[in-house]
Amino acid sequence: MAIAIITRGQQAGRRITIVHWPATIGRDAGSIIPIDDGRVSRYHARIKKRDQLYILEDLDSKNGTWLNGDKVINSVINSGDKILVGDTEIVFLTPEAQIDLATELLDLDHMAIGADFDEISGPIEISALQDGEGSAQARRLGSDLELSTQALGAEVLSKIFDAHSNIIATDGLKECCASVLKSIHFLYPDVSRSVIFLWSRASRKLIPVSSRHTGKQSKFFFSKRAIEGVIARKQGVILSPQTSGTTHVARHRFILPMLHQGDLLCLVHFEVDNIAAGAPPSSTDAIRFLLERAAPSIDAFSLRQDLDNYSVGMIEAMIATLEAKDTYTHGHSERVSRYSMAIAEEMNLDREVKKLLLMSALCHDIGKIGIPDAILRKAALLNPDEYEEMKQHPVIGANIVSHLPNVKRFISGIKYHHEKWDGSGYPDGLAGEDIPFFGRIVAVADVFDAMVSGRSYSGFLDESDAVDRLVSEKELFDPDVVNAFTKAWSSGRLTQKTSTQKKSPPPDDSGN
């Protein structure tokens, strides 16, 4: 059995279960996957099954068949791949993903793993789902797209927003994941243990990032079949209670996916111990909504990890050198990159584009390495000659990174982040849409951080005042970028914590 989910087109949201092979795709009503799309041929394509292998074949269609962005005639298709026929996009899911189970976990369907990750020898690899617990003993949760906040109530929503504000203020992937788990325990005090795995689609592995437990430390119980089902279907499950130990504690197990733009980022596994066997678990709606809110932060940190290691090392070394020269810039590049990512989220930019934008934002001020210390560290306003010298830093920065891989794809945020929409900026005096896209985004992020973290001679602006000033100076910035920025700020996607402000985390009763 496999599932086809139409994610784009007139029938978006429709799920089709495939039990007969080959599965034809086309406008003909007899197709296994019927498509209502004028650009799709009557018999457009088909998916064939050979043992555990699936093959996508174009049937001499008029407009072609595309797999993950490439036009194909006959190609192997894997779970999670995207098929494009006409204007209709289909995600193909099968529980028979080609991934293996780590040797130390092969023996049991229910695996007892220590809560301390020192007891886990590297990433966990999961085998294919078979009939059993994945379907019969698990209750599936609906798609996150179906989740409504109306039933959560104002008090719960307030807690979620408070928890989310702490998540987006974290400084790395591990800290971010730890904050997610801490927030889950805060929202759902009955949770006794939790763990978050980063999903690597390329290697088909779950990589443990953070774990948490309350009270007496005990073991996690994993089901490889249920986990594989969650990965294949991108839907959470609640497993039937598992009795544990001589005390007959009924353990309810939950596995929830963290999705972002339809892609699986993480799996969150958490457990609740109920002394009375069979006690029903509480609703997971609040946790699922929290995961939706946290997904962009996890994705941004994952993107940071995906950048070429050599390039990242070089960039971080240069940023550290710059920050050693100028205390004001300490943390500035990181904050500007976060603001840029929030703008990118609101503009629904592609993940690959966001990766390049992240590089551009991190490097935007790198040219200040070449500015004399007397000018860079000056506490008072610069005189005209000093200001002209300072204006050279975008060009210096562009020259510094000019030999990095793919530099042409991200250099614009470095060289053009001081250009203005009305043409009054520098170094080239570009105006409007002549300013490269990354330059327009980094410009808004850079100016906002300058206002809220201020030089000694300019002081600090309250964040709401800084947003108002950005809006009032709309002639200086791309209006679409400013609009995306204000939406991100209003929705809480931008942290309301500057380098001088820290909000208290949720109460922690576990001692962790």
Side-chain angles (χ1 to χ4, degrees):
M1 184 187 75
I3 297 173
I5 303 176
I6 300 178
T7 56
R8 191 172 72 205
Q10 297 182 29
Q11 299 162 281
R14 185 181 179 189
R15 300 170 64 91
I16 302 166
T17 300
I18 306 172
V19 293
H20 300 293
W21 307 98
T24 53
I25 304 172
R27 286 190 295 108
D28 189 86
S31 298
I32 300 295
I33 308 175
I35 302 296
D36 183 12
D37 183 334
R39 298 188 66 244
V40 172
S41 302
R42 286 188 63 199
Y43 303 102
H44 195 105
R46 66 184 175 189
I47 303 172
K48 299 182 292 185
K49 187 175 186 295
R50 294 177 181 171
D51 296 324
Q52 304 301 311
L53 193 66
Y54 295 87
I55 299 171
L56 176 64
E57 179 183 13
D58 182 76
L59 299 177
D60 295 323
S61 63
K62 181 178 179 181
N63 294 311
T65 300
W66 304 77
L67 180 64
N68 298 325
D70 295 322
K71 190 173 183 179
V72 297
I73 302 299
N74 195 296
S75 179
V76 172
I77 181 171
N78 296 308
S79 182
D81 284 347
K82 296 179 180 179
I83 306 168
L84 181 66
V85 291
D87 296 320
T88 302
E89 183 181 74
I90 304 166
V91 174
F92 178 73
L93 299 176
T94 169
E96 297 169 344
Q98 298 82 26
I99 47 182
D100 299 321
L101 187 65
T103 304
E104 65 269 25
L105 303 181
L106 275 172
D107 296 334
L108 297 174
D109 183 55
H110 294 82
M111 297 156 284
I113 305 297
D116 185 349
F117 276 138
D118 289 339
E119 297 181 35
I120 298 181
S121 55
I124 293 180
E125 306 174 36
I126 308 301
S127 68
L129 176 67
Q130 302 170 3
D131 292 337
E133 183 179 37
S135 57
Q137 299 177 21
R139 176 163 63 87
R140 299 204 175 279
L141 299 170
S143 165
D144 286 342
L145 296 176
E146 301 169 4
L147 181 61
S148 171
T149 61
Q150 295 179 355
L152 294 177
E155 183 178 352
V156 172
L157 283 175
S158 178
K159 289 182 178 180
I160 293 172
F161 290 136
D162 285 344
H164 179 241
S165 70
N166 286 286
I167 291 169
I168 60 177
T170 53
D171 294 325
L173 180 62
K174 186 173 183 179
E175 183 183 343
C176 186
C177 290
S179 184
V180 169
L181 295 186
K182 189 172 186 177
S183 299
I184 288 174
H185 285 250
F186 171 59
L187 290 170
Y188 199 166
D190 291 335
V191 172
S192 49
R193 61 195 65 79
S194 60
V195 59
I196 188 165
F197 295 95
L198 191 67
W199 169 242
S200 172
R201 185 182 177 198
S203 63
R204 311 296 294 179
K205 292 181 179 179
L206 289 170
I207 302 169
V209 182
S210 183
S211 67
R212 187 177 179 84
H213 69 277
T214 57
K216 183 179 179 181
Q217 184 168 339
S218 57
K219 304 288 186 180
F220 288 99
F221 283 86
F222 295 111
S223 165
K224 69 181 193 298
R225 292 175 179 173
I227 288 175
E228 176 56 30
V230 173
I231 292 172
R233 295 175 175 82
K234 298 182 182 179
Q235 288 184 327
V237 296
I238 303 175
L239 300 177
S240 299
Q242 175 72 25
T243 302
S244 172
T246 57
T247 57
H248 301 292
V249 175
R251 179 173 295 178
H252 299 276
R253 292 172 294 150
F254 302 75
I255 309 171
L256 300 181
M258 181 185 289
L259 305 176
H260 186 53
Q261 296 180 341
D263 294 326
L264 178 66
L265 297 179
C266 300
L267 285 190
V268 180
H269 176 110
F270 60 96
E271 299 175 351
V272 179
D273 292 340
N274 296 110
I275 301 300
S282 302
S283 169
T284 62
D285 286 354
I287 296 176
R288 292 166 62 209
F289 184 60
L290 174 72
L291 297 184
E292 282 187 3
R293 300 281 296 178
S297 297
I298 298 288
D299 187 49
F301 285 124
S302 298
L303 285 171
R304 179 74 177 271
Q305 285 195 343
D306 287 346
L307 294 175
D308 179 80
N309 289 334
Y310 175 78
S311 297
V312 169
M314 290 291 292
I315 289 166
E316 290 181 342
M318 289 187 288
I319 291 173
T321 302
L322 173 61
E323 292 182 347
K325 283 169 61 74
D326 181 18
T327 55
Y328 165 73
T329 62
H330 182 69
H332 169 71
S333 297
E334 188 68 38
R335 293 193 300 273
V336 169
S337 71
R338 289 190 186 187
Y339 300 149
S340 297
M341 288 295 97
I343 293 170
E345 285 294 327
E346 286 295 336
M347 301 184 83
N348 293 317
L349 299 186
D350 179 81
R351 194 172 194 268
E352 186 63 27
V353 174
K354 288 192 294 184
K355 185 188 297 186
L356 295 167
L357 174 61
L358 177 61
M359 180 81 82
S360 199
L362 285 170
C363 296
H364 80 282
D365 266 351
I366 211 71
K368 288 183 178 179
I369 290 175
I371 302 300
D373 289 357
I375 295 176
L376 195 61
R377 297 179 178 181
K378 188 174 181 179
L381 288 168
L382 302 178
N383 64 41
D385 290 340
E386 292 169 335
Y387 182 56
E388 287 302 314
E389 184 74 22
M390 178 65 80
K391 286 166 63 175
Q392 299 305 309
H393 80 268
V395 176
I396 296 172
N399 290 334
I400 288 174
V401 302
S402 62
H403 300 295
L404 289 175
N406 294 319
V407 66
K408 290 182 178 179
R409 302 180 66 190
F410 67 83
I411 198 171
S412 62
I414 301 167
K415 188 173 182 180
Y416 299 114
H417 68 277
H418 280 293
E419 298 288 0
K420 302 300 182 187
W421 195 249
D422 64 357
S424 64
Y426 60 87
D428 294 341
L430 302 178
E433 294 188 358
D434 288 339
I435 304 171
F437 186 49
F438 284 2
R440 296 181 235 162
I441 292 178
V442 177
V444 172
D446 183 47
V447 167
F448 178 77
D449 189 66
M451 287 191 287
V452 298
S453 60
R455 288 270 192 186
S456 58
Y457 59 77
S458 62
F460 293 83
L461 272 184
D462 180 82
E463 288 189 348
S464 60
D465 292 336
V467 173
D468 290 341
R469 179 174 291 186
L470 275 173
V471 173
S472 69
E473 295 177 347
K474 57 185 178 181
E475 72 280 358
L476 300 179
F477 307 102
D478 182 338
D480 291 336
V481 175
V482 172
N483 184 51
F485 179 89
T486 54
K487 284 183 177 179
W489 186 81
S490 299
S491 67
R493 291 189 184 277
L494 287 172
T495 176
Q496 297 185 9
K497 304 170 188 180
T498 69
S499 58
T500 61
Q501 297 173 312
K502 279 287 182 181
K503 188 172 182 177
S504 299
D508 185 357
D509 297 327
S510 67
N512 291 313

